[in-house]
mmCIF file with all atom_site columns, all heavy atoms in Angstrom:
data_model
loop_
_atom_site.group_PDB
_atom_site.id
_atom_site.type_symbol
_atom_site.label_atom_id
_atom_site.label_alt_id
_atom_site.label_comp_id
_atom_site.label_asym_id
_atom_site.label_entity_id
_atom_site.label_seq_id
_atom_site.pdbx_PDB_ins_code
_atom_site.Cartn_x
_atom_site.Cartn_y
_atom_site.Cartn_z
_atom_site.occupancy
_atom_site.B_iso_or_equiv
_atom_site.pdbx_formal_charge
_atom_site.auth_seq_id
_atom_site.auth_comp_id
_atom_site.auth_asym_id
_atom_site.auth_atom_id
_atom_site.pdbx_PDB_model_num
ATOM 1  N N   . ILE Q 1 87 ? -13.443 9.675  -5.880 1.00 97.00 ? 1311 ILE Q N   1
ATOM 2  C CA  . ILE Q 1 87 ? -13.053 8.539  -5.030 1.00 97.00 ? 1311 ILE Q CA  1
ATOM 3  C C   . ILE Q 1 87 ? -13.728 8.558  -3.667 1.00 97.00 ? 1311 ILE Q C   1
ATOM 4  O O   . ILE Q 1 87 ? -14.138 7.530  -3.124 1.00 97.00 ? 1311 ILE Q O   1
ATOM 5  C CB  . ILE Q 1 87 ? -11.516 8.554  -4.910 1.00 97.00 ? 1311 ILE Q CB  1
ATOM 6  C CG1 . ILE Q 1 87 ? -11.063 7.187  -4.317 1.00 97.00 ? 1311 ILE Q CG1 1
ATOM 7  C CG2 . ILE Q 1 87 ? -10.983 9.646  -4.038 1.00 97.00 ? 1311 ILE Q CG2 1
ATOM 8  C CD1 . ILE Q 1 87 ? -9.570  6.961  -4.353 1.00 97.00 ? 1311 ILE Q CD1 1
ATOM 9  N N   . VAL Q 1 88 ? -13.961 9.813  -3.230 1.00 97.00 ? 1312 VAL Q N   1
ATOM 10 C CA  . VAL Q 1 88 ? -14.715 9.854  -1.881 1.00 97.00 ? 1312 VAL Q CA  1
ATOM 11 C C   . VAL Q 1 88 ? -16.153 9.295  -2.052 1.00 97.00 ? 1312 VAL Q C   1
ATOM 12 O O   . VAL Q 1 88 ? -16.586 8.539  -1.162 1.00 97.00 ? 1312 VAL Q O   1
ATOM 13 C CB  . VAL Q 1 88 ? -14.787 11.336 -1.387 1.00 97.00 ? 1312 VAL Q CB  1
ATOM 14 C CG1 . VAL Q 1 88 ? -15.749 11.421 -0.194 1.00 97.00 ? 1312 VAL Q CG1 1
ATOM 15 C CG2 . VAL Q 1 88 ? -13.416 11.796 -0.903 1.00 97.00 ? 1312 VAL Q CG2 1
ATOM 16 N N   . SER Q 1 89 ? -16.852 9.650  -3.093 1.00 96.00 ? 1313 SER Q N   1
ATOM 17 C CA  . SER Q 1 89 ? -18.212 9.137  -3.255 1.00 96.00 ? 1313 SER Q CA  1
ATOM 18 C C   . SER Q 1 89 ? -18.206 7.685  -3.598 1.00 96.00 ? 1313 SER Q C   1
ATOM 19 O O   . SER Q 1 89 ? -19.105 6.953  -3.082 1.00 96.00 ? 1313 SER Q O   1
ATOM 20 C CB  . SER Q 1 89 ? -18.858 9.934  -4.480 1.00 96.00 ? 1313 SER Q CB  1
ATOM 21 O OG  . SER Q 1 89 ? -18.242 9.722  -5.656 1.00 96.00 ? 1313 SER Q OG  1
ATOM 22 N N   . GLU Q 1 90 ? -17.249 7.206  -4.399 1.00 96.00 ? 1314 GLU Q N   1
ATOM 23 C CA  . GLU Q 1 90 ? -17.249 5.816  -4.677 1.00 96.00 ? 1314 GLU Q CA  1
ATOM 24 C C   . GLU Q 1 90 ? -16.896 4.878  -3.424 1.00 96.00 ? 1314 GLU Q C   1
ATOM 25 O O   . GLU Q 1 90 ? -17.517 3.803  -3.241 1.00 96.00 ? 1314 GLU Q O   1
ATOM 26 C CB  . GLU Q 1 90 ? -16.185 5.502  -5.759 1.00 96.00 ? 1314 GLU Q CB  1
ATOM 27 C CG  . GLU Q 1 90 ? -16.564 6.052  -7.121 1.00 96.00 ? 1314 GLU Q CG  1
ATOM 28 C CD  . GLU Q 1 90 ? -17.851 5.475  -7.633 1.00 96.00 ? 1314 GLU Q CD  1
ATOM 29 O OE1 . GLU Q 1 90 ? -17.990 4.207  -7.822 1.00 96.00 ? 1314 GLU Q OE1 1
ATOM 30 O OE2 . GLU Q 1 90 ? -18.820 6.159  -7.837 1.00 96.00 ? 1314 GLU Q OE2 1
ATOM 31 N N   . LEU Q 1 91 ? -16.011 5.394  -2.614 1.00 97.00 ? 1315 LEU Q N   1
ATOM 32 C CA  . LEU Q 1 91 ? -15.655 4.649  -1.352 1.00 97.00 ? 1315 LEU Q CA  1
ATOM 33 C C   . LEU Q 1 91 ? -16.848 4.619  -0.462 1.00 97.00 ? 1315 LEU Q C   1
ATOM 34 O O   . LEU Q 1 91 ? -17.109 3.624  0.206  1.00 97.00 ? 1315 LEU Q O   1
ATOM 35 C CB  . LEU Q 1 91 ? -14.402 5.265  -0.705 1.00 97.00 ? 1315 LEU Q CB  1
ATOM 36 C CG  . LEU Q 1 91 ? -13.156 5.084  -1.377 1.00 97.00 ? 1315 LEU Q CG  1
ATOM 37 C CD1 . LEU Q 1 91 ? -11.994 5.908  -0.716 1.00 97.00 ? 1315 LEU Q CD1 1
ATOM 38 C CD2 . LEU Q 1 91 ? -12.699 3.551  -1.415 1.00 97.00 ? 1315 LEU Q CD2 1
ATOM 39 N N   . ALA Q 1 92 ? -17.567 5.664  -0.371 1.00 97.00 ? 1316 ALA Q N   1
ATOM 40 C CA  . ALA Q 1 92 ? -18.750 5.763  0.497  1.00 97.00 ? 1316 ALA Q CA  1
ATOM 41 C C   . ALA Q 1 92 ? -19.867 4.720  0.137  1.00 97.00 ? 1316 ALA Q C   1
ATOM 42 O O   . ALA Q 1 92 ? -20.482 4.140  0.958  1.00 97.00 ? 1316 ALA Q O   1
ATOM 43 C CB  . ALA Q 1 92 ? -19.425 7.219  0.405  1.00 97.00 ? 1316 ALA Q CB  1
ATOM 44 N N   . ARG Q 1 93 ? -19.877 4.468  -1.199 1.00 96.00 ? 1317 ARG Q N   1
ATOM 45 C CA  . ARG Q 1 93 ? -20.820 3.348  -1.666 1.00 96.00 ? 1317 ARG Q CA  1
ATOM 46 C C   . ARG Q 1 93 ? -20.436 2.040  -1.113 1.00 96.00 ? 1317 ARG Q C   1
ATOM 47 O O   . ARG Q 1 93 ? -21.281 1.149  -0.970 1.00 96.00 ? 1317 ARG Q O   1
ATOM 48 C CB  . ARG Q 1 93 ? -20.881 3.351  -3.142 1.00 96.00 ? 1317 ARG Q CB  1
ATOM 49 C CG  . ARG Q 1 93 ? -21.553 4.499  -3.822 1.00 96.00 ? 1317 ARG Q CG  1
ATOM 50 C CD  . ARG Q 1 93 ? -21.995 4.200  -5.269 1.00 96.00 ? 1317 ARG Q CD  1
ATOM 51 N NE  . ARG Q 1 93 ? -20.826 3.666  -6.097 1.00 96.00 ? 1317 ARG Q NE  1
ATOM 52 C CZ  . ARG Q 1 93 ? -20.810 2.379  -6.442 1.00 96.00 ? 1317 ARG Q CZ  1
ATOM 53 N NH1 . ARG Q 1 93 ? -21.725 1.518  -6.094 1.00 96.00 ? 1317 ARG Q NH1 1
ATOM 54 N NH2 . ARG Q 1 93 ? -19.766 1.995  -7.162 1.00 96.00 ? 1317 ARG Q NH2 1
ATOM 55 N N   . MET Q 1 94 ? -19.147 1.858  -0.812 1.00 97.00 ? 1318 MET Q N   1
ATOM 56 C CA  . MET Q 1 94 ? -18.615 0.580  -0.317 1.00 97.00 ? 1318 MET Q CA  1
ATOM 57 C C   . MET Q 1 94 ? -18.644 0.591  1.199  1.00 97.00 ? 1318 MET Q C   1
ATOM 58 O O   . MET Q 1 94 ? -18.087 -0.336 1.808  1.00 97.00 ? 1318 MET Q O   1
ATOM 59 C CB  . MET Q 1 94 ? -17.218 0.375  -0.877 1.00 97.00 ? 1318 MET Q CB  1
ATOM 60 C CG  . MET Q 1 94 ? -17.108 0.322  -2.364 1.00 97.00 ? 1318 MET Q CG  1
ATOM 61 S SD  . MET Q 1 94 ? -15.401 0.169  -2.885 1.00 97.00 ? 1318 MET Q SD  1
ATOM 62 C CE  . MET Q 1 94 ? -15.392 0.994  -4.471 1.00 97.00 ? 1318 MET Q CE  1
ATOM 63 N N   . ASP Q 1 95 ? -19.153 1.615  1.794  1.00 97.00 ? 1319 ASP Q N   1
ATOM 64 C CA  . ASP Q 1 95 ? -19.136 1.862  3.283  1.00 97.00 ? 1319 ASP Q CA  1
ATOM 65 C C   . ASP Q 1 95 ? -17.771 2.086  3.816  1.00 97.00 ? 1319 ASP Q C   1
ATOM 66 O O   . ASP Q 1 95 ? -17.415 1.741  4.955  1.00 97.00 ? 1319 ASP Q O   1
ATOM 67 C CB  . ASP Q 1 95 ? -19.753 0.599  3.978  1.00 97.00 ? 1319 ASP Q CB  1
ATOM 68 C CG  . ASP Q 1 95 ? -20.608 1.008  5.136  1.00 97.00 ? 1319 ASP Q CG  1
ATOM 69 O OD1 . ASP Q 1 95 ? -20.817 2.292  5.328  1.00 97.00 ? 1319 ASP Q OD1 1
ATOM 70 O OD2 . ASP Q 1 95 ? -21.026 0.142  5.927  1.00 97.00 ? 1319 ASP Q OD2 1
#
Side-chain angles (χ1 to χ4, degrees):
I1311 195 170
V1312 167
S1313 64
E1314 291 300 298
L1315 289 174
R1317 291 197 309 106
M1318 304 175 209
D1319 218 9

